[in-house]
Amino acid sequence: SQELEQSPQSLIVQEGKNLTINCTSSKTLYGLYWYKQKYGEGLIFLMMLQKGGEEKSHEKITAKLDEKKQQSSLHITASQPSHAGIYLCGADGGGTSYGKLTFGQGTILTVHP
Amino acid sequence: SAVISQKPSRDICQRGTSLTIQCQVDSQVTMMFWYRQQPGQSLTLIATANQGSEATYESGFVIDKFPISRPNLTFSTLTVSNMSPEDSSIYLCSVVPWEATSYNEQFFGPGTRLTVL
């Protein structure tokens, strides 16, 4: 079975600082999702990266997929308190497991004003 | 995208009872899934809700404990049966929109927070 490891587990930054969260897979990545979760709430879809070394940006968040390293990174530029939350990466099983996501343990981000 | 609602948003139940959670989508979707998030943990896939047929369960989850229905392309229910405190979790449904091609977006509902006493 596929396993995802996120690092760091938690991150505390000052507002305005840049930060990076990594997600490393034990198997080939076919589709990699990034979500943000506020405590006890549902998941907010951020980005989905497909196989092939893709990079996507939305506002101040950029995500990259390095298929050789079986790794994805999420980078936030000039962080704001609104960025605080739990960031989760999820890998699509691919093939007959298409749509079935395996998640990392999450990265808790705190942004101090 | 898809707008997903879940009912109830939260509930407190007594052990031994059952709770049915509803997931309603504002548009037709191809795939619907149910996940569980135990306290302090990440999400774990329970099952795929198949329209018009029996759900497909992941290892460690069985139909007797988590019966699932999906009568049409916009609605599904998950029942948590014979509950114990270990079932206290957030239960989330997710959907892949109808127009999805390979590896398209997957959207999650707001979740149902279940506490079992």
Side-chain angles (χ1 to χ4, degrees):
Chain A
S1 63
Q2 187 169 27
E3 293 183 358
L4 296 180
E5 183 172 340
Q6 288 185 234
S7 61
Q9 292 187 0
S10 64
L11 195 53
I12 302 174
V13 300
Q14 204 68 32
E15 182 177 1
K17 295 294 186 183
N18 302 336
L19 63 103
T20 299
I21 299 169
N22 293 306
C23 175
T24 303
S25 173
S26 61
K27 294 187 176 182
T28 301
L29 286 168
Y30 295 102
L32 193 287
Y33 294 74
W34 283 100
Y35 293 91
K36 177 185 174 183
Q37 183 179 32
K38 289 286 191 180
Y39 176 74
E41 299 180 5
L43 276 64
I44 300 169
F45 173 80
L46 296 176
M47 265 168 273
M48 186 271 301
L49 304 168
Q50 299 183 14
K51 185 180 180 182
E54 196 170 4
E55 177 176 330
K56 287 186 177 179
S57 293
H58 177 67
E59 297 181 344
K60 295 184 178 180
I61 300 177
T62 300
K64 302 178 183 179
L65 180 63
D66 186 332
E67 60 176 330
K68 287 186 178 180
K69 293 183 179 178
Q70 297 180 172
Q71 184 178 77
S72 178
S73 61
L74 185 81
H75 184 77
I76 299 178
T77 303
S79 59
Q80 301 171 349
S82 60
H83 288 127
I86 302 171
Y87 288 81
L88 292 157
C89 63
D92 193 297
T96 56
S97 295
Y98 166 57
K100 299 181 179 182
L101 302 186
T102 299
F103 284 89
Q105 78 276 24
T107 295
I108 302 172
L109 173 62
T110 303
V111 181
H112 286 311
Chain B
S1 64
V3 177
I4 308 166
S5 60
Q6 285 187 232
K7 290 181 180 180
S9 59
R10 58 178 60 222
D11 207 342
I12 300 174
C13 301
Q14 296 297 319
R15 68 171 66 208
T17 63
S18 298
L19 177 72
T20 296
I21 302 168
Q22 298 179 2
C23 177
Q24 178 73 55
V25 192
D26 69 339
S27 58
Q28 293 185 341
V29 297
T30 56
M31 307 181 82
M32 296 182 78
F33 303 93
W34 286 98
Y35 288 81
R36 179 176 74 179
Q37 186 176 31
Q38 293 177 299
Q41 303 293 317
S42 191
L43 281 77
T44 301
L45 178 63
I46 298 172
T48 304
N50 300 309
Q51 193 263 327
S53 64
E54 202 167 275
T56 306
Y57 291 84
E58 298 301 305
S59 175
F61 298 96
V62 296
I63 187 171
D64 290 345
K65 176 67 176 178
F66 298 101
I68 289 171
S69 77
R70 188 181 171 191
N72 56 50
L73 294 176
T74 63
F75 184 78
S76 177
T77 66
L78 167 74
T79 299
V80 185
S81 303
N82 188 25
M83 288 183 285
S84 66
E86 291 71 34
D87 294 319
S88 297
S89 299
I90 299 174
Y91 292 86
L92 302 102
C93 66
S94 72
V95 304
V96 176
W98 182 260
E99 65 275 15
T101 56
S102 297
Y103 309 113
N104 211 308
E105 295 96 341
Q106 184 167 146
F107 299 100
F108 281 78
T112 295
R113 179 183 287 275
L114 171 63
T115 301
V116 183
L117 302 177

